Amino acid sequence: MYLRPTDVREANIRRVFRVLLARTRCSRAELARSTGLSSVTAGRVVEEMIEAGLVTEAAAAAAGGVPAMGRPPRFIALASRPRFLGVEIGVRETRIAALPLAPPPEDAAMRTVATPDSVPAFLAELRRARLALGLRDSEAILVSVPGVVDQATGTVLVSPNLHWTEGQGLLKGIGALGVGTVIAVQEVQALALGHQAAEGTSEDFLLLDLAEGVGGAVVLQGRLLGGTVALAGELGHTPVMSNDRRCGCGAIGCLETLASRRGLLRSFREAHPGRRLDWDGLRHQVTRAGIEPWLDRAIDAVGAGVAGAINLLGVGRVVVTGDLPSLHPDVIGRLETSIQEHSLLGRFGRVRCVAAPRRRWLGLVVAASERLGLARPGERRALHLAI
Ligand SMILES: [Zn+2]
């Protein structure tokens, strides 16, 4: 394929951006090594990114406060100026933060509110949060949505645990706030983008999130699998035979009814009649008692569902985020064994299953970089969300 000089330039900028997302900061020499660019090209790209306000360069503080001999080393990092209003809609809590086009800092200004139960209440909360965060001119509002989103029309098609978000009202309402372009990302897709960026990995993986809901996303050949309607990896709504629990999506027997927080609490109560625990109580119970049969059955149901996905996709790496891995140190190993037993890959190779933190903020930042474009920060590209 013939590449125009501008294509090469944009690809180089994106390479530098990706390395800085994963490494937080590095020297010019490290940057050239990690991107595979010549030091001259890497230097030119860095100068351009500094001019565009995408990166900053600063002298490294000398160790122990002792001045270093000679010229102090200088480090390059992505600029930390907040540019976006980020919104993570959760089943119970919603977090709102001012985000830079960089890994969100630990101390990012943030507000956490109980998730409202209607569009008007949600928009009112968003207005208040924006004022409190003091973010006057954001370039875009980045929204992670738990549910199936049609990005072309800004419609939440289905949200099993937050039905009030369904339809066009939510994203259209956010667009009408005038906070900037709305970029909506299905939440597990955001987790996959965040994981990929933080690890700087080019490996294929299936990300499985087990929390209030159960969802998945797939990265194949470096790219997130999916179209404008992100459905690939939605393992939570796969039926489990002989499970007769009704799911929030309207179906009966979904994996989510066994492996979500609510599902696990219900299984515990069924196994221990008369004992009612909240989530923290359940965690203490599992820490003390280990993986009891009720939990083992839930893990095995997840393992069987994941094995089906692995057989279909040919992916051998499973990244697990959310609540289930935090229940007990043995959970990930047990899940890995289950997937190994149920998948064809397990007959001759090895399935790898790892726990990972949830990186939704970073995923939203990556989605913004892709949809708004990096190469010409002043000139916005055609945007995908027509609202
Ligand atoms: Zn379901």
Side-chain angles (χ1 to χ4, degrees):
M1 190 177 83
Y2 173 71
L3 286 175
R4 291 173 296 144
T6 50
D7 294 333
V8 175
R9 173 179 156 273
E10 285 175 25
N12 288 344
I13 288 176
R14 195 158 285 284
R15 262 156 112 168
V16 169
F17 179 70
R18 285 285 183 167
V19 167
L20 290 173
L21 272 182
R23 309 253 320 240
T24 312
R25 62 172 206 166
C26 61
S27 70
R28 284 178 184 243
E30 286 167 339
L31 195 61
R33 259 198 312 279
S34 303
T35 53
L37 299 172
S38 72
S39 54
V40 174
T41 305
R44 203 165 49 224
V45 171
V46 166
E47 291 310 324
E48 202 173 338
M49 291 175 82
I50 289 174
E51 208 169 296
L54 287 170
V55 304
T56 55
E57 189 172 30
V66 181
M69 295 293 284
R71 202 167 148 220
R74 294 179 72 76
F75 285 101
I76 294 150
L78 290 168
S80 59
R81 175 176 75 83
R83 306 162 73 132
F84 308 116
L85 189 64
V87 184
E88 286 182 357
I89 305 176
V91 172
R92 286 171 305 134
E93 286 184 340
T94 291
R95 299 197 300 162
I96 304 159
L99 301 177
L101 189 59
E106 297 278 327
D107 59 349
M110 192 180 303
R111 272 173 73 89
T112 303
V113 298
T115 299
D117 57 5
S118 71
V119 171
F122 184 86
L123 297 177
E125 206 59 78
L126 217 48
R127 266 188 227 103
R128 271 196 291 277
R130 187 184 166 215
L131 284 177
L133 293 171
L135 189 68
R136 282 169 194 276
D137 56 339
S138 54
E139 291 168 34
I141 177 161
L142 320 179
V143 191
S144 114
V145 185
V148 180
V149 188
D150 180 344
Q151 289 168 180
T153 62
T155 309
V156 178
L157 298 169
V158 61
S159 185
N161 299 303
L162 285 174
H163 289 294
W164 65 267
T165 63
E166 291 168 355
Q168 290 195 318
L170 176 69
L171 297 177
K172 278 223 187 314
I174 294 174
L177 292 176
V179 191
T181 307
V182 180
I183 295 177
V185 186
Q186 195 270 350
E187 74 167 349
V188 186
Q189 300 244 318
L191 291 175
L193 287 174
H195 178 79
Q196 188 189 30
E199 300 290 318
T201 178
S202 56
E203 271 190 299
D204 294 346
F205 64 90
L206 168 73
L207 185 138
L208 184 67
D209 186 52
L210 299 139
E212 301 284 354
V214 173
V218 182
V219 170
L220 278 182
Q221 297 178 341
R223 299 195 68 83
L224 190 61
L225 200 61
T228 55
V229 177
L231 267 175
E234 283 288 2
L235 279 176
H237 302 280
T238 303
V240 175
M241 292 305 123
S242 79
N243 171 27
D244 59 3
R245 295 182 185 177
R246 182 169 287 282
C247 180
C249 75
I252 288 175
C254 293
L255 182 58
E256 180 165 300
T257 66
L258 296 173
S260 64
R261 260 190 199 208
R262 200 186 305 170
L264 291 168
L265 283 165
R266 182 170 165 184
S267 297
F268 174 80
R269 280 199 295 273
E270 287 173 3
H272 300 275
R275 286 190 66 190
R276 292 189 70 83
L277 294 179
D278 61 8
W279 182 252
D280 283 340
L282 186 81
R283 278 176 43 190
H284 288 130
Q285 161 72 21
V286 176
T287 302
R288 274 199 308 273
I291 300 178
E292 294 179 281
W294 66 268
L295 179 55
D296 195 59
R297 279 194 296 275
I299 295 172
D300 202 43
V302 175
V306 171
I310 281 182
N311 284 346
L312 184 69
L313 298 164
V315 171
R317 182 174 169 79
V318 180
V319 176
V320 187
T321 58
D323 295 329
L324 194 64
S326 70
L327 272 180
H328 194 278
D330 293 344
V331 164
I332 286 293
R334 176 68 191 94
L335 179 59
E336 186 177 273
T337 303
S338 172
I339 302 168
Q340 183 87 11
E341 282 170 6
H342 293 305
S343 64
L344 184 60
L345 174 61
R347 305 282 78 77
F348 61 90
R350 189 160 136 62
V351 174
R352 285 169 305 143
C353 198
V354 293
R358 304 178 95 214
R359 295 173 169 123
R360 264 195 295 184
W361 289 135
L362 183 56
L364 285 175
V365 167
V366 173
S369 78
E370 288 177 356
R371 295 200 206 160
L372 295 172
L374 282 173
R376 301 180 200 88
E379 300 167 33
R380 305 277 163 75
R381 304 268 181 82
L383 300 172
H384 291 202
L385 197 59
I387 61 175

